[in-house]
Amino acid sequence: MDQLKHIGKSYTRSDAVNKVTGSAEYVDDIRLPRMLYAQCVRSPHAHAKILSVDTAAAWAMPGVRAVITGEEYPNRAGLYLEDRYFMAKAGDTAKYRGEAVAAVAAETPEIAQAACAAIRVEYEVLPAVTNAVEGMKADAPVIHPELGSYKVAPIFYPKPGTNISHHYVLRKGDFEVASFQADRVFTHKYYIPHVQHVPMEPHGCIARYDPDGKLTVWASCQSPYAVRQALSVAFGLPLHKIRVISQAVGGGFGAKAGTTLEGIVIPLARQCQGRPVKLVYSREDEFINAYVRQGMHATITTAMRADGKILGVHNEFIWDGGAYTEYGVNITKAGGWGSAGPYDIENVWTDSYCVYTNHPVGGPYRGFGMCEIHFAIEQNIDQIAHEMGLSEVEIRRINALCPGGHTGMGEKMDVAGYAECLEQVIRDIEYDVPSVQVSPTKIRAKGIAGGWKSPSMPTNAGSSAILRMNEDGTFFLMSSGQELGQGAATVLPQIAAEVLSVPPHMIAFVSGDTDHTPYEWQTVASRTTYCAGNACKLAAENLRDKLLDLAQIKMGAVKRDLELCDGYIVHKIYPERRIPMKDLALGITFDDGSGYGGPAIGVGTFTLENNINTDKKTGVATHHPAAFWTMGANGVEVEVDTETGHIKVLKMCSCFDAGKVINPALFCAQSEGAMVQALGTALFEELKLKDGKVLNPSFVDYKIPTADDMPELIPKFVEYAEPTGPYGARGAGEPLMVPGAPAIANAVFNAIGVRFTKMPITPEDVLNALKP
Amino acid sequence: MKYQIRFTLNGEEQELYVPANYTMLRVLRDELNFMGTKEGCGAGECGACTVIADGRPVNACIVLAPEMDGMSIETVEGLAKDGRLTPLQEAFVSHAALQCGFCTPGFLMSATALLRENPHPAREEIIRAISGNLCRCTGYVRIIEAIEDAARDNGQ
Ligand code: FES
Ligand code: FES
């Protein structure tokens, strides 16, 4: 490849100046004329039949402009499984504590709140399912009796009459034979509780219904097109009558991937035609009524040969999907796909169950199942190593997935940088050098863990981009790959800039408007640099091609001899023959005044070809079901205070194979954020649930890491190009978080010899474990 | 019942009549359309709403509007002058010390107050000054480095 000019350079963020001056506009910052404010009435019961909803008193209040109940929702909607109305209906059941049962739009937030308090709802309390394992039992109350009639994507298998909304099955090889041949077989169990994403910006939405039937929605969302689709299904509206706009998004981490509060605001707006209605979640709402990360019970049985080779694994993952699993079914599937970890194992059997419970709705969270399963997988490996007297490093080296090896699903891997990442973190954390002890009551030790992830997206997920050239040689790159903080608005223009050979600052990035920026399936799954990046690259190549077509006429040269170089079209053999690219922005004009070729615009569309579903029965891949796998490892050092139980993480080293890294500074920034987020889940984050009630919906009771908790962070990468990625890039934002929590748990074991199979590992847990 | 309050906002005099139960945050955002100050929790726990009031960083969401009377208040909108970023803002840009940016105004105000009080803070002092500001994206390291960098620019 020629020397890259803009790829691999740490350009500053294109959104930085707006963000440091307070001018970036988030949904809650939008003020529209005559705006109304919405509030919801929410079920105080985990599971209850709604007998009646009486809204008369609310309607009677001055300043109330609309009141809605579940009656407003004709159709169920959902991403993969259409299992939810946006509001529970009378006659039906409210399925978690906090589910909306009515909503009000009023002139002020205070009036809306008072009106909500005046709405009377009669409930008949039903027995609740508050544990996924219990929920699978034959005698458990069934939360969705109509499951059999729900529309579902054909790769998911609900079990009508039960609470199981998807049973993912993988049967590669024969685990029974493997365990028969094994020298030792181990079974270990783990539990991962619910956590919340905690984006600093709570969810918000404004909707306005114009008299001509056009609905405009301003949403703090990751995926405007997915929101548009869900709203279209739920309300029976044609897509050209819905416009979803997503401006600055204050962090998503998956929480803003689906459709949540948008569905509540729309019927209110419909009743108040022409007047915008706004709903912004409180922090308490955010903890309860946005998505949460599903809880998970894992059991891993491993067949080992004496020399440390893993002959087979059998995984059982039981996911606590919450009241609705329209999105959760796919996390269950992703957990199955990734269930072997970044290891080459011949016999892999996995059963992954998505179970309805009367808990808050589970949804995608950075890592999409991988953080959860790797807390199990990577501790399991350390435990086995320990029990067999092997080294934790050696057992990983023996089993690491290498180029030419096969994934748990049976895909052959041509590129796999796991082993190298592992060696890098072992060097960076100096794993073979014991920690220096500073105090007899503060025990230091190190731990390692690996991890991987692929985008668990529909095999045909599409991306598109439009690149417009202006008369002065600047550009607009239009894509609905959203900037969530991860850097899309910087990295995508860098990709186009490389093709066009212009500085990235000459390309303005425009996104987040379904009426104006082209289709993007979703900004999730660490797919944006890869999928939207490919679309942007193709759009730039399309534009380049058109410019060269015109240039060969204008320059009297053959196209193959021309190239774009620093804003010019240059003859490769006679470089003094050149014209500014901008001269072609509106086509060319001949001496007689006639024009040709029109304004310059490039279009790129990307769908990964030959991305094929796995075998229906066995889950085994005949080809590639995953677009790519991103692998890496963490090495950490911790200090455990045996008197207070407090665990301090001193250092975290990360190395990932991200393919070609487009912007190293932004990659490292993502890596640092991911490590600290993982640290939070390992040591303090848990959504405490009792009888379906969230007990800690505030920052006082739900701690996330602060600057005080920050360890020394060493982010690194290796670059084995992804063959189908733009300039060899693959996604990284989520995988970077995966190994952090198990690496910390492994380090804690190495410090005090206690294995914690549940996270978070709190001071109380440590003290209890150390009690003589 | 509305209260008359007078205060300066980024150097400009303001006079308003506001309900007693309004917070400073609501006055800034809803009454004056200063949207740079963010609401992350409304309960004094996240620092997204940090402003500088009479020289000290405060959480605007837990200050009641009547208390604003007589105050001198600075928000993120008051940092850059004539389109020129402050060295701290510049440092946030060059260090990529922000991702989603929602927490950024709050961090800038906490750090600006710190650097005025203490132009050459030690790392521990920086950490203490921003420990009431939550950021979910960055892992904090670049924020701390940006503040250190701006402090280095403070001259000797
Ligand atoms: S919004 Fe004021 S501290 Fe969180
Ligand atoms: S940059 Fe997103 S919360 Fe700090």
Side-chain angles (χ1 to χ4, degrees):
Chain A
M1 200 184 288
D2 296 341
Q3 192 70 36
L4 294 170
K5 280 188 182 139
H6 304 296
I7 300 290
K9 304 256 153 64
S10 292
Y11 286 101
T12 54
R13 299 182 61 100
S14 63
D15 54 353
V17 171
N18 273 352
K19 286 179 174 173
V20 298
T21 50
S23 21
E25 192 171 55
Y26 303 82
V27 167
D28 194 22
D29 302 335
I30 300 171
R31 295 287 183 273
L32 297 172
R34 302 177 68 226
M35 195 154 75
L36 298 167
Y37 298 87
Q39 282 289 336
C40 298
V41 179
R42 296 186 174 279
S43 165
H45 307 293
H47 195 197
K49 184 164 183 194
I50 302 173
L51 301 176
S52 65
V53 185
D54 180 356
T55 59
W59 270 120
M61 293 174 73
V64 170
R65 296 288 170 247
V67 183
I68 58 161
T69 66
E71 299 310 311
E72 297 291 330
Y73 298 85
N75 306 318
R76 288 192 173 89
L79 189 63
Y80 297 104
L81 169 66
E82 293 181 0
D83 68 352
R84 71 190 298 192
Y85 299 106
F86 289 103
M87 197 173 275
K89 286 174 194 275
D92 199 352
T93 54
K95 296 175 174 58
Y96 75 96
R97 193 170 171 141
E99 180 159 10
V101 292
V104 172
E107 297 290 343
T108 68
E110 286 76 14
I111 299 173
Q113 199 145 22
C116 282
I119 292 175
R120 296 278 155 260
V121 187
E122 267 191 287
Y123 299 93
E124 175 191 326
V125 176
L126 300 172
V129 178
T130 55
N131 176 301
V133 177
E134 297 295 316
M136 284 174 71
K137 293 188 177 155
D139 58 348
V142 174
I143 300 171
H144 286 262
E146 293 165 55
L147 178 57
S149 68
Y150 295 173
K151 192 167 162 224
V152 59
I155 49 169
F156 298 105
Y157 312 110
K159 302 259 171 290
T162 75
N163 288 316
I164 299 170
S165 58
H166 179 45
H167 176 191
Y168 168 91
V169 177
L170 175 60
R171 292 289 179 272
K172 185 182 80 160
D174 192 331
F175 176 76
E176 279 167 9
V177 171
S179 49
F180 185 74
Q181 291 169 343
D183 294 306
R184 294 187 64 180
V185 176
F186 299 89
T187 298
H188 297 126
K189 287 177 180 291
Y190 308 87
Y191 176 65
I192 292 86
H194 292 74
V195 297
Q196 216 271 329
H197 313 58
V198 194
M200 290 317 298
E201 177 210 23
H203 284 61
C205 171
I206 302 170
R208 189 184 65 210
Y209 224 91
D210 292 334
D212 66 355
K214 178 91 179 193
L215 171 69
T216 305
V217 179
W218 291 261
S220 157
C221 74
Q222 299 180 208
S223 309
Y225 277 89
V227 169
R228 190 181 69 150
Q229 176 64 18
L231 298 179
S232 163
V233 171
F235 299 106
L237 290 168
L239 292 173
H240 72 302
K241 289 285 189 189
I242 309 176
R243 176 181 180 193
V244 179
I245 300 171
S246 176
Q247 302 181 179
V249 176
F253 314 111
K256 293 171 183 163
T259 310
T260 44
L261 76 180
E262 295 87 353
I264 294 171
V265 185
I266 283 151
L268 291 170
R270 182 144 51 179
Q271 287 189 14
C272 310
Q273 289 215 352
R275 295 193 69 176
V277 180
K278 180 183 207 173
L279 177 61
V280 175
Y281 271 178
S282 66
R283 183 53 61 182
E284 183 179 334
D285 272 327
E286 193 66 26
F287 276 112
I288 303 171
N289 299 313
Y291 284 127
V292 298
R293 187 170 91 180
Q294 309 180 115
M296 201 265 282
H297 306 258
T299 306
I300 305 183
T301 304
T302 315
M304 294 297 301
R305 205 164 66 191
D307 62 358
K309 175 77 190 151
I310 303 172
L311 298 179
V313 284
H314 187 178
N315 305 294
E316 183 191 69
F317 302 141
I318 298 173
W319 302 83
D320 187 326
Y324 300 98
T325 65
E326 47 131 343
Y327 217 135
V329 289
N330 196 33
I331 301 165
T332 301
K333 184 200 87 180
W337 275 21
S339 60
Y343 302 103
D344 197 337
I345 305 172
E346 206 168 308
N347 304 287
V348 182
W349 285 10
T350 298
D351 292 276
S352 184
Y353 300 91
C354 192
V355 183
Y356 284 123
T357 60
N358 296 111
H359 280 154
V361 181
Y365 182 148
R366 191 176 199 169
F368 208 70
M370 297 304 108
C371 292
E372 299 92 305
I373 66 170
H374 283 79
F375 187 72
I377 293 170
E378 288 298 300
Q379 288 205 77
N380 182 50
I381 290 202
D382 265 36
Q383 282 171 277
I384 291 170
H386 186 75
E387 288 169 55
M388 292 181 73
L390 300 164
S391 111
E392 310 86 89
V393 172
E394 215 38 51
I395 192 170
R396 287 184 173 82
R397 284 186 184 136
I398 292 169
N399 294 289
L401 184 51
C402 295
H406 291 82
T407 69
M409 287 190 290
E411 293 163 275
K412 184 160 173 285
M413 294 298 291
D414 298 324
V415 198
Y418 178 53
E420 196 174 326
C421 293
L422 192 63
E423 299 305 331
Q424 183 65 49
V425 300
I426 288 167
R427 278 196 298 279
D428 287 343
I429 199 76
E430 299 180 277
Y431 195 68
D432 38 14
V433 182
S435 290
V436 181
Q437 301 302 339
V438 290
S439 146
T441 58
K442 291 188 176 154
I443 317 291
R444 294 182 171 188
K446 299 168 186 177
I448 51 167
W452 73 339
K453 186 187 179 293
S454 71
S456 182
M457 58 189 178
T459 41
N460 61 354
S463 294
S464 50
I466 296 170
L467 190 60
R468 289 155 47 201
M469 187 177 187
N470 298 313
E471 298 89 310
D472 63 354
T474 60
F475 299 85
F476 284 111
L477 176 60
M478 304 169 71
S479 145
S480 303
Q482 290 294 110
E483 174 61 66
L484 313 172
Q486 87 283 41
T490 308
V491 162
L492 296 176
Q494 260 178 273
I495 291 172
E498 186 65 46
V499 176
L500 296 170
S501 189
V502 298
H505 70 82
M506 292 182 61
I507 304 176
F509 185 67
V510 187
S511 74
D513 183 339
T514 57
D515 268 14
H516 298 286
T517 59
Y519 181 87
E520 180 69 40
W521 175 67
Q522 289 212 64
T523 301
V524 294
S526 302
R527 65 185 287 280
T528 301
T529 300
Y530 175 89
C531 292
N534 266 320
C536 290
K537 182 162 182 272
L538 289 165
E541 285 168 355
N542 180 245
L543 180 58
R544 177 179 65 188
D545 198 50
K546 289 177 180 171
L547 292 173
L548 292 179
D549 275 341
L550 293 175
Q552 63 177 351
I553 301 171
K554 180 130 180 153
M555 295 171 73
V558 182
K559 186 173 170 185
R560 60 151 199 267
D561 290 337
L562 300 176
E563 64 182 355
L564 306 190
C565 185
D566 297 331
Y568 287 85
I569 294 166
V570 180
H571 199 291
K572 290 187 206 165
I573 303 166
Y574 308 106
E576 66 283 1
R577 288 179 61 190
R578 56 172 59 203
I579 56 166
M581 240 155 81
K582 69 174 163 47
D583 288 2
L584 302 175
L586 300 180
I588 44 181
T589 308
F590 295 109
D591 291 346
D592 64 358
S594 64
Y596 175 77
I601 188 160
V603 176
T605 61
F606 176 74
T607 314
L608 181 59
E609 287 169 16
N610 298 324
N611 197 14
I612 297 171
N613 282 329
T614 54
D615 182 80
K616 270 207 155 105
K617 272 221 180 70
T618 62
V620 171
T622 48
H623 201 74
H624 282 287
F628 55 82
W629 287 92
T630 305
M631 312 172 189
N634 276 186
V636 309
E637 183 172 20
V638 302
E639 179 181 279
V640 185
D641 186 325
T642 54
E643 285 177 332
T644 63
H646 185 78
I647 297 167
K648 183 151 182 62
V649 181
L650 303 171
K651 183 171 179 176
M652 294 182 85
C653 305
S654 170
C655 185
F656 268 78
D657 178 10
K660 182 69 198 166
V661 173
I662 310 279
N663 185 316
L666 295 197
F667 172 90
C668 290
Q670 284 263 297
S671 178
E672 292 150 4
M675 284 189 265
V676 173
Q677 219 171 84
L679 181 159
T681 62
L683 298 184
F684 20 87
E685 294 183 41
E686 173 178 9
L687 205 63
K688 295 211 170 80
L689 290 157
K690 188 165 190 312
D691 303 328
K693 181 175 188 196
V694 178
L695 300 177
N696 55 341
S698 76
F699 286 133
V700 172
D701 299 316
Y702 186 111
K703 294 273 181 228
I704 66 166
T706 67
D708 233 352
D709 302 303
M710 185 198 72
E712 183 188 350
L713 299 169
I714 316 264
K716 291 205 175 157
F717 53 82
V718 297
E719 297 182 291
Y720 290 106
E722 183 63 36
T724 56
Y727 294 102
R730 69 174 73 83
E734 298 170 284
L736 290 165
M737 180 170 165
V738 173
I744 290 170
N746 285 339
V748 170
F749 174 85
N750 292 337
I752 57 172
V754 181
R755 179 61 59 185
F756 294 96
T757 56
K758 172 188 168 301
M759 59 181 172
I761 309 170
T762 64
E764 207 185 331
D765 295 332
V766 171
L767 289 181
N768 281 337
L770 291 178
K771 266 190 202 140
Chain B
M1 170 70 183
K2 288 196 172 183
Y3 277 76
Q4 183 194 40
I5 51 173
R6 278 191 221 171
F7 54 96
T8 63
L9 177 58
N10 301 326
E12 279 182 32
E13 299 285 334
Q14 303 282 347
E15 184 178 330
L16 288 173
Y17 291 83
V18 290
N21 63 350
Y22 272 28
T23 61
M24 181 196 286
L25 183 61
R26 186 155 179 191
V27 171
L28 292 174
R29 291 178 57 85
D30 291 354
E31 302 294 308
L32 296 168
N33 288 308
F34 275 68
M35 299 299 174
T37 308
K38 305 298 179 197
E39 175 164 351
C41 69
E45 295 155 9
C46 76
C49 63
T50 308
V51 300
I52 299 176
D54 294 336
R56 299 168 51 83
V58 300
N59 289 327
C61 70
I62 50 168
V63 177
L64 285 173
E67 297 175 60
M68 295 167 75
D69 194 39
M71 273 185 179
S72 163
I73 298 165
E74 291 172 72
T75 66
V76 69
E77 288 91 345
L79 293 180
K81 298 268 186 307
D82 305 323
R84 284 188 49 148
L85 302 183
T86 65
L88 182 68
Q89 287 173 311
E90 293 281 8
F92 267 62
V93 174
S94 62
H95 283 265
L98 56 97
Q99 291 183 29
C100 80
F102 198 77
C103 69
T104 310
F107 274 95
L108 288 168
M109 299 322 282
S110 292
T112 299
L114 168 72
L115 293 177
R116 281 185 197 155
E117 184 103 326
N118 178 359
H120 301 286
R123 186 168 262 229
E124 298 69 55
E125 293 172 304
I126 294 175
I127 289 177
R128 205 173 319 128
I130 60 168
S131 63
N133 291 84
L134 297 178
C135 173
R136 191 56 152 173
C137 301
T138 62
Y140 301 101
V141 56
R142 281 164 199 273
I143 295 176
I144 294 168
E145 286 166 359
I147 299 170
E148 286 175 333
D149 197 10
R152 253 191 305 278
D153 280 2
N154 267 341
Q156 294 309 310

